[in-house]
Amino acid sequence: MYSIINTAIIKGIDSIPIHVESDISNGLPMFEMVGYLSAEVKEAKERVKIALKNSGFILPHKRITINITPANIKKSGTGFDLPVALGLLCAMEEIPQERLNNACVVGEIGLNGDILPVRGILSMAAMSKEMGYNTIMVPKDNAMEASLVKGLDVIPLSSLNETVQILTGRINIPVYKYEESTETADDYLLDFKDVHGQNAVKRACEISVSGMHNLLMIGPPGSGKSMIAQRIPTILPPLTKKEQMELSKIYSVSGMLDASKGLTTKRPCRMPHHTITPQALSGGGTYAKPGEISLSHGGVLFLDELPEFNKNTLEILRQPMEEKCIHLVRMNGTYTYPANFLFVAAMNPCKCGFYPDFNKCNCSARSIKNYLSGISQPLLDRIEICIEAPRISFEDLMGTKGEETSAEIRERVIKVHNIQRERYKYEDFLFNSQIPSSKIDTYCPLSSEHKEYLKEIFKKLDLSARSYFKILKVARTIADLEGSDNIKMSHLSEAICYRSADKKYWEGGEYEV
């Protein structure tokens, strides 16, 4: 007596197909599970045996072998309980095999036979559709999430007994249907119209989002840095359907998806505390799941009080900021998570926050140097735009008219994104920030006058090659905002200003551009 059940396992944020083979044959009575299994999968043997007994099914006193294939992939998680139980019932001829040939089955089982929810159902449902299955059988609490994948029949299950009755035709459970949410991407509680003054900072934010350039804001406490950063997602274009599915998969695997609201429609803004560990930022762990840099995929990763973060933790960001993904090698396997986020950071210029205003700042030169030393030059080189956020005046604070809304700014951002989408339609990148150095001359051509100007600035600011290329990319975005086909001197000058601000603090010098 042999049976095979289709199921799935999470790998990164996607799923891969897995098959549970069950065989009951004559021989010394025993129950064996094989197939490169983790401890919690091996424990399924005991859960399933007791759940079957409590549901009225007695296993025969024969040799029972469960093989979970392919055998070269480490199996983990509790979602194999239900496939194992149904595989045994098929082998015992309690339920017909043909009812499960074109279905994917996932779920954990309690000792009383109840079917319990698991993480990552959205990814498993998407894989089921890609594999050509027409049905997915999931725990009742996971049904709403699975139904977000269109074109797939979702069967919600409450208990093992109910599942057997469904498969034998004794009861008929209607396919779960999900009603579309009326929530839109515009339903943000925050808006840029709430920010008074700080026009230069808001301009830098618009440039940053338009070209997807990383941003650092430096200023004294209370200047509105955090307030502005929290509103940056509101000027990003709405998520496409593909982006919604990818982001929803990340949150599903992390156990953070609210399926009642449908696919994720809002761009995330993750704001981890400065005490975060490297593992929490990057992801992984004993049971691998995405970290903060992947949870901010498609949105904003905001680090407030940047120098307060552990230096080793910050260095993790360097590779994902360039490659837009993170590769993790752990004991249980190798994982790749997406990490295409807009990096935004804010910081005080010193411990007290008032440098270089020596009327208020009492920090010593050594104290300031030690405070800033937690941020390495390689990390600074990956931040294209650095802007000072000065203290807000009383007049700006009392002003209530003339502030642009997020919708107005977003309209201009979408226009620039469309320009880039058309320009790079034959390339494998989308934004100005992603232009490779080999394509700089093609998309950021300069006149001889511009080149001489940049040569002088390169020496004066002692720029690295990476910083030089990032100046050109920011200038390209500024030109796009003005609707200019060519980069002009004013565009270069503004882009250079965004590179000179960090020199003022990290090297203690004033620069005129």
Side-chain angles (χ1 to χ4, degrees):
M1 294 177 285
Y2 169 87
S3 69
I4 183 168
I5 304 294
N6 305 311
T7 185
I9 188 175
I10 297 294
K11 187 70 172 178
I13 67 165
D14 295 313
S15 293
I16 54 178
I18 298 292
H19 304 288
V20 177
E21 297 178 304
S22 303
D23 180 78
I24 300 177
S25 58
N26 295 325
L28 186 66
M30 64 181 300
F31 192 141
E32 189 173 24
M33 292 184 66
V34 296
Y36 197 14
L37 312 178
S38 64
E40 68 267 24
V41 179
K42 291 179 181 178
E43 290 168 357
K45 175 175 67 175
E46 300 303 324
R47 289 193 295 270
V48 168
K49 284 168 61 177
I50 296 174
L52 285 172
K53 176 181 71 70
N54 290 335
S55 299
F57 302 100
I58 304 299
L59 289 174
H61 292 283
K62 294 186 177 183
R63 183 182 179 90
I64 298 173
T65 304
I66 304 292
N67 179 36
I68 304 181
T69 63
N72 64 329
I73 297 175
K74 183 70 176 284
K75 320 301 188 309
S76 60
T78 56
F80 294 105
D81 291 8
L82 185 58
V84 169
L86 295 187
L88 288 171
L89 291 171
C90 278
M92 292 162 58
E93 299 182 347
E94 295 284 350
I95 55 177
Q97 169 75 64
E98 57 270 16
R99 293 290 301 271
L100 294 165
N101 287 340
N102 204 26
C104 180
V105 180
V106 184
E108 180 182 345
I109 296 181
L111 298 184
N112 61 350
D114 286 347
I115 298 177
L116 310 176
V118 296
R119 289 190 296 120
I121 285 292
L122 182 62
S123 294
M124 297 178 187
M127 182 234 47
S128 299
K129 184 178 180 181
E130 292 171 5
M131 292 294 296
Y133 302 144
N134 57 25
T135 303
I136 183 168
M137 305 180 72
V138 299
K140 185 176 181 180
D141 291 343
N142 289 134
M144 184 179 293
E145 184 177 331
S147 67
L148 297 177
V149 178
K150 306 304 178 187
L152 195 64
D153 291 343
V154 178
I155 306 298
L157 306 174
S158 298
S159 68
L160 197 54
N161 268 327
E162 180 192 63
T163 304
V164 172
Q165 292 182 56
I166 292 171
L167 293 173
T168 54
R170 281 177 270 175
I171 63 171
N172 183 31
I173 298 292
V175 173
Y176 188 93
K177 296 293 184 182
Y178 175 74
E179 296 182 5
E180 291 286 348
S181 172
T182 57
E183 182 179 23
T184 67
D186 288 334
D187 293 333
Y188 285 101
L189 297 177
L190 305 176
D191 198 288
F192 260 95
K193 68 181 180 181
D194 303 325
V195 181
H196 301 296
Q198 298 294 18
N199 292 328
V201 181
K202 288 190 280 188
R203 162 76 171 173
C205 289
E206 184 176 342
I207 295 170
S208 170
V209 171
S210 295
M212 298 304 288
H213 304 290
N214 300 317
L215 173 68
L216 172 63
M217 294 177 282
I218 306 175
S223 56
K225 304 184 296 296
S226 301
M227 182 181 184
I228 291 171
Q230 292 169 10
R231 284 157 176 75
I232 289 179
T234 68
I235 62 174
L236 280 162
L239 289 165
T240 64
K241 284 293 183 182
K242 181 180 178 181
E243 289 173 326
Q244 289 178 20
M245 177 58 75
E246 188 172 33
L247 189 59
S248 298
K249 281 184 180 180
I250 295 171
Y251 279 77
S252 173
V253 169
S254 303
M256 299 169 60
L257 180 66
D258 184 357
S260 64
K261 296 180 179 178
L263 294 177
T264 302
T265 58
K266 291 183 179 179
R267 293 189 182 270
C269 181
R270 302 296 297 182
M271 299 181 288
H273 192 260
H274 65 259
T275 56
I276 189 172
T277 63
Q279 292 75 21
L281 185 66
S282 62
T286 304
Y287 303 102
K289 63 179 182 178
E292 287 293 330
I293 62 175
S294 295
L295 293 173
S296 59
H297 177 72
V300 174
L301 175 63
F302 174 48
L303 302 188
D304 204 0
E305 304 299 342
L306 189 64
E308 300 292 346
F309 283 78
N310 181 278
K311 187 173 184 178
N312 292 332
T313 302
L314 289 180
E315 294 305 296
I316 291 173
L317 293 168
R318 287 161 54 178
Q319 176 261 340
M321 287 168 71
E322 292 286 335
E323 298 185 13
K324 306 304 181 185
C325 64
I326 184 166
H327 307 284
L328 301 173
V329 180
R330 296 292 185 265
M331 184 174 64
N332 291 333
T334 301
Y335 306 90
T336 298
Y337 294 118
N340 188 8
F341 55 86
L342 178 65
F343 178 70
V344 178
M347 57 176 284
N348 298 330
C350 64
K351 276 285 186 182
C352 73
F354 295 106
Y355 175 80
D357 183 356
F358 291 108
N359 292 323
K360 294 182 178 181
C361 179
N362 297 315
C363 299
S364 65
R366 179 179 292 275
S367 172
I368 295 171
K369 184 177 181 180
N370 290 340
Y371 181 71
L372 299 177
S373 64
I375 306 171
S376 68
Q377 190 60 47
L379 182 61
L380 283 173
D381 281 348
R382 287 168 168 80
I383 301 174
E384 294 98 319
I385 298 176
C386 181
I387 185 72
E388 291 185 85
R391 292 188 69 83
I392 301 175
S393 68
F394 180 80
E395 290 74 19
D396 285 335
L397 193 61
M398 291 295 101
T400 57
K401 295 181 179 180
E403 301 293 353
E404 284 190 304
T405 65
S406 291
E408 291 172 324
I409 301 173
R410 184 168 62 244
E411 192 173 322
R412 295 196 297 269
V413 169
I414 291 174
K415 184 177 179 181
V416 175
H417 278 212
N418 290 336
I419 291 173
Q420 293 170 87
R421 188 173 292 109
E422 179 63 25
R423 180 189 297 137
Y424 306 130
K425 61 183 177 182
Y426 300 118
E427 302 286 359
D428 57 357
F429 54 90
L430 294 175
F431 301 107
N432 293 331
S433 62
Q434 300 168 353
I435 303 174
S437 55
S438 59
K439 300 279 187 178
I440 284 289
D441 290 339
T442 303
Y443 295 111
C444 304
L446 300 174
S447 66
S448 56
E449 181 186 3
H450 294 159
K451 290 178 180 178
E452 284 298 319
Y453 175 63
L454 282 177
K455 180 180 179 181
E456 180 182 349
I457 294 298
F458 189 87
K459 293 178 179 178
K460 180 183 290 188
L461 296 184
D462 190 24
L463 298 174
S464 65
R466 181 182 281 113
S467 295
Y468 169 77
F469 288 128
K470 290 193 180 296
I471 285 174
L472 293 178
K473 295 173 187 178
V474 173
R476 176 69 270 172
T477 300
I478 296 171
D480 290 341
L481 275 168
E482 294 188 3
S484 175
D485 292 332
N486 299 313
I487 296 175
K488 299 177 181 178
M489 189 66 78
S490 60
H491 306 149
L492 283 174
S493 296
E494 185 175 358
I496 291 166
C497 286
Y498 296 131
R499 291 304 308 171
S500 60
D502 65 318
K503 297 287 182 180
K504 171 180 176 180
Y505 293 96
W506 272 266
E507 297 184 10
E510 298 283 353
Y511 294 89
E512 293 183 3
V513 180

